[in-house]
């Protein structure tokens, strides 16, 4: 049997999208039990969850590539939510990691610049979620650094300053924010949330997924399931249900 011709096809199916933009903590989020994979599973048949995490990147570099990832003409209208999750690299200590370090004031300005760009392509504030860096477990991260022949190049207090700046940017710009740095430390021993002192463990991924879903759910709750449930397809005339 021939496929339906061009004249009989329904309109193209367009999946809405949730875009995850960040550093390695985002890049790794589609690994087994990752927070991004968790979101993709929750949203299957409602929207695509796109991983645009780039390991090692900071806001200085992210600001430059964001317009290459999202353009008004090709993609902005289909984005129902976007997370911006940077700071773990920006907050690296300048004297020990000058390549990734971004000064605190510039970090805040870079976040604002990215929000302003998104607004310029009609992605409104209510679709943007900033995520602060998680807390740093210094002894575990120091072991990871020493294994590479490096000194401890981050500290939790400094990471906290960047987290506070991220929260303030969200307040100033009217976006949502997930203050991971603060939330994870409500449990005094937050080390179980981290695999190496910096990146997330399975428990940390689950924690982030749950916290993010509470902020994302209202942005996607009205999205319908795409294509009818199989029992609802008219098997005697599937074209009536599917085209």
């Amino acid at each position: 049997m021939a496929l339906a011709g061009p004249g009989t096809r329904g309109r193209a199916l367009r999946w809405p999208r949730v875009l995850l933009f960040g550093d390695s903590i985002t890049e790794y989020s589609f690994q087994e039990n990752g927070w991004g994979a968790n979101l993709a599973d929750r949203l299957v048949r409602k929207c695509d969850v796109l991983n645009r995490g780039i390991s090692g990147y900071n806001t200085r570099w992210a600001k430059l590539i964001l317009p290459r990832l999202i353009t008004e003409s090709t993609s902005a209208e289909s984005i129902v939510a976007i997370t911006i999750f940077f700071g773990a690299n920006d907050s690296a200590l300048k004297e020990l990691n000058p390549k990734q370090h971004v000064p605190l004031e510039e970090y805040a300005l870079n976040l604002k610049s990215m929000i302003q760009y998104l607004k310029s392509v009609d992605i409104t504030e209510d679709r943007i979620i900033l995520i602060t860096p998680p807390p740093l477990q210094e002894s575990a991260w120091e072991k990871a650094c020493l294994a590479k022949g490096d000194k401890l190049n981050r500290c939790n207090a400094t990471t906290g300053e960047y987290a506070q700046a991220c929260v303030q940017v969200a307040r100033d710009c009217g976006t949502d924010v997930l203050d991971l740095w603060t939330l994870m430390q409500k449990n005094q021993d937050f080390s179980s949330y981290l695999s190496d002192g910096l990146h997330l463990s399975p428990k940390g991924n689950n924690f982030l997924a749950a916290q993010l879903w509470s902020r994302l759910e209202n942005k996607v709750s009205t999205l319908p399931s795409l294509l009818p449930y199989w029992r609802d397809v008219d098997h005697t005339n599937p074209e009536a249900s599917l085209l």
Side-chain angles (χ1 to χ4, degrees):
M1 180 178 176
L3 293 174
T8 61
R9 288 181 186 152
R11 58 188 176 82
L13 280 169
R14 299 186 185 276
W15 255 247
R17 298 184 296 167
V18 172
L19 192 141
L20 312 179
F21 186 41
D23 52 35
S24 58
I25 304 176
T26 298
E27 181 174 328
Y28 301 161
S29 72
F30 272 31
Q31 294 178 351
E32 185 176 5
N33 298 317
W35 62 272
N38 182 300
L39 291 179
D41 183 56
R42 285 176 181 262
L43 292 170
V44 68
R45 283 187 61 182
K46 287 181 176 286
C47 66
D48 288 334
V49 178
L50 303 182
N51 188 332
R52 295 296 182 265
I54 306 109
S55 180
Y57 274 49
N58 56 31
T59 56
R60 184 180 293 164
W61 304 343
K63 177 181 70 172
L64 298 176
I65 63 172
L66 182 60
R68 301 181 64 193
L69 298 178
I70 301 172
T71 64
E72 185 174 24
S73 61
T74 60
S75 58
E77 66 177 14
S78 65
I79 293 175
V80 295
I82 177 170
T83 59
I84 301 177
F85 189 5
F86 290 94
N89 297 315
D90 299 69
S91 60
L93 301 175
K94 181 179 181 180
E95 60 275 17
L96 294 172
N97 190 348
K99 184 167 186 176
Q100 291 178 301
H101 169 80
V102 171
L104 183 62
E105 289 186 6
E106 183 189 342
Y107 167 72
L109 290 173
N110 290 341
L111 289 176
K112 288 182 179 180
S113 176
M114 286 188 271
I115 293 168
Q116 289 164 358
Y117 172 74
L118 292 173
K119 289 171 62 178
S120 78
V121 294
D122 296 326
I123 297 177
T124 50
E125 299 97 323
D126 61 310
R127 287 186 273 167
I128 302 169
I129 303 173
L130 300 187
I131 307 176
T132 77
L136 182 83
Q137 215 286 317
E138 293 177 15
S139 60
W141 184 242
E142 184 173 28
K143 289 179 182 177
C145 291
L146 291 172
K148 299 176 183 178
D150 299 326
K151 295 179 180 179
L152 178 64
N153 55 22
R154 290 164 170 81
C155 75
N156 192 39
T158 300
T159 302
E161 294 175 0
Y162 283 72
Q164 291 169 14
C166 180
V167 170
Q168 187 60 51
V169 168
R171 288 180 183 146
D172 293 344
C173 296
T175 71
D176 206 344
V177 63
L178 172 51
D179 185 358
L180 204 57
W181 190 85
T182 298
L183 288 169
M184 282 188 167
Q185 290 184 95
K186 285 186 177 179
N187 176 353
Q188 288 186 341
D189 181 16
F190 62 87
S191 61
S192 62
Y193 290 130
L194 305 168
S195 62
D196 57 3
L198 176 68
H199 300 96
L200 301 181
S201 65
K203 182 178 178 181
N205 273 283
N206 288 336
F207 182 85
L208 173 52
Q211 293 290 332
L212 183 56
W213 182 249
S214 70
R215 290 158 176 79
L216 187 63
E217 188 173 14
N218 68 327
K219 303 181 194 304
V220 298
S221 59
T222 59
L223 293 176
S225 287
L226 294 160
L227 293 172
Y229 180 55
W230 72 270
R231 291 187 185 277
D232 297 330
V233 175
D234 181 353
H235 69 282
T236 65
N237 183 18
E239 289 88 351
S241 301
L242 302 177
L243 295 179

